[in-house]
Amino acid sequence: MNRKPIFAANWKMNKGPSETEDFARALLPHVQHQTFPCDLVIAPPFVSLAKAAELFGNVTAVALAAQNCSEYDAGAYTGEVSAMMLKEFYVHYVILGHSERRAIYGETDAVINAKMLKAREINLKPIFCIGETLEEREGGKLEEVLRRQVTKGLEGFSDKDLSETVIAYEPVWAIGTGVTATAEQAQEAHAFVRSLIGETFGADAAARIRIQYGGSVKPGNAAELMACPDIDGALIGGAALEASSFLQIIENGTKD
Ligand code: PGA
């Protein structure tokens, strides 16, 4: 199965509109009028989406993602942003289930599932994040945790919904820590997640779904990780804050 890799820059709470413009100025010469063997996605904070849409809106190689959306349509939800609002900024993807949302903001599997369904209702493509903590891994709970997150997060998803979804496997202990999962650990987890998809959605869907790796991906480890058969790109935090390093990861990660 030939899956197109997808590399997404998750800026987290970094870069307002003016820094977004700086990043775009550095990236644009390398992505305008270019074709890539992979999809490129940039996920700025909400307040920078308008600027990103203005600068990348007509660049076919780059798609925009939001880092979150509400599970509700509209109304009295102070501080929230609906999936529908995102559509006005040429946003095609939305990161959901990130471990920082789970751990810091208490998002449960049920809340994440509600957001996933809401995103699909208006045709946004979820980048659905899953991953275990170090304690869970060391306690032998890796498979149990991944099974729960995948099953609950994708509850109510149709085959079509799944086909528009990207999964990001991000071991929590590797996020922002500089510690990366070894290629072997990552491959093993990815193969397991793929098998979980197969159990619910069938072998074809499992073979088709793209599963990104995330957690301290850098130019220096991208090639080894991306060479694993079940790893289809990366969700990158820190190392995607500089255009040059984001590009280097893509280059190293897509070499034959
Ligand atoms: P990191 O973040 O690359 O800084 O580890 C990845 C992520 O949280 O998506």
Side-chain angles (χ1 to χ4, degrees):
M1 175 63 61
N2 231 346
R3 292 180 298 266
K4 194 176 192 189
I6 171 166
F7 291 81
N10 175 13
W11 287 355
K12 310 192 180 185
M13 200 172 74
N14 295 292
K15 297 192 193 293
S18 59
E19 284 179 279
T20 296
E21 185 155 0
D22 295 341
F23 180 94
R25 300 270 170 246
L27 188 69
L28 280 170
H30 304 276
V31 296
Q32 254 165 344
H33 319 298
Q34 314 263 2
T35 51
F36 288 84
C38 58
D39 289 332
L40 269 64
V41 179
I42 295 172
F46 289 135
V47 293
S48 299
L49 282 172
K51 180 54 81 182
E54 180 191 316
L55 294 161
F56 291 110
N58 59 0
V59 179
T60 35
V62 177
L64 295 183
Q67 298 176 17
N68 187 20
C69 72
S70 171
E71 64 270 50
Y72 303 113
D73 285 327
Y77 303 104
T78 302
E80 291 291 291
V81 171
S82 77
M84 191 57 105
M85 291 170 188
L86 297 171
K87 294 284 261 192
E88 289 189 41
F89 298 98
Y90 303 100
V91 166
H92 289 101
Y93 293 88
V94 58
I95 298 172
L96 294 172
H98 193 281
S99 66
E100 287 150 18
R101 301 290 324 167
R102 293 178 191 263
I104 306 172
Y105 298 98
E107 288 190 11
T108 61
D109 290 308
V111 166
I112 293 158
N113 177 243
K115 293 182 173 199
M116 296 275 288
L117 291 168
K118 194 48 74 181
R120 284 307 306 143
E121 231 177 82
I122 60 150
N123 220 9
L124 281 176
K125 300 172 197 279
I127 296 179
F128 171 45
C129 304
I130 55 172
E132 82 290 358
T133 62
L134 189 58
E135 202 185 352
E136 288 163 341
R137 175 174 275 265
E138 289 179 343
K141 296 218 159 67
L142 171 65
E143 296 196 351
E144 181 187 323
V145 169
L146 295 180
R147 179 179 291 278
R148 190 200 74 230
Q149 291 176 336
V150 168
T151 312
K152 299 208 164 160
L154 296 175
E155 218 167 270
F157 261 44
S158 65
D159 293 347
K160 164 90 173 124
D161 291 330
L162 188 82
S163 72
E164 301 287 356
T165 299
V166 175
I167 296 179
Y169 168 66
E170 302 200 297
V172 178
W173 45 274
I175 295 178
T177 56
V179 180
T180 322
T182 63
E184 196 185 351
Q185 286 172 321
Q187 165 56 28
E188 200 176 37
H190 279 236
F192 178 68
V193 172
R194 201 174 294 289
S195 78
L196 290 175
I197 295 297
E199 283 176 23
T200 315
F201 294 92
D204 226 47
R208 256 176 239 285
I209 190 148
R210 297 186 290 181
I211 309 177
Q212 299 175 302
Y213 170 78
S216 297
V217 174
K218 310 178 258 276
N221 59 25
E224 194 191 358
L225 287 162
M226 298 307 128
C228 297
D230 285 296
I231 300 185
D232 311 310
L235 182 57
I236 309 144
L241 289 172
E242 292 291 335
S244 56
S245 134
F246 183 45
L247 285 165
Q248 197 61 55
I249 288 171
I250 293 163
E251 193 183 320
N252 297 353
T254 51
K255 271 193 212 130
D256 287 334

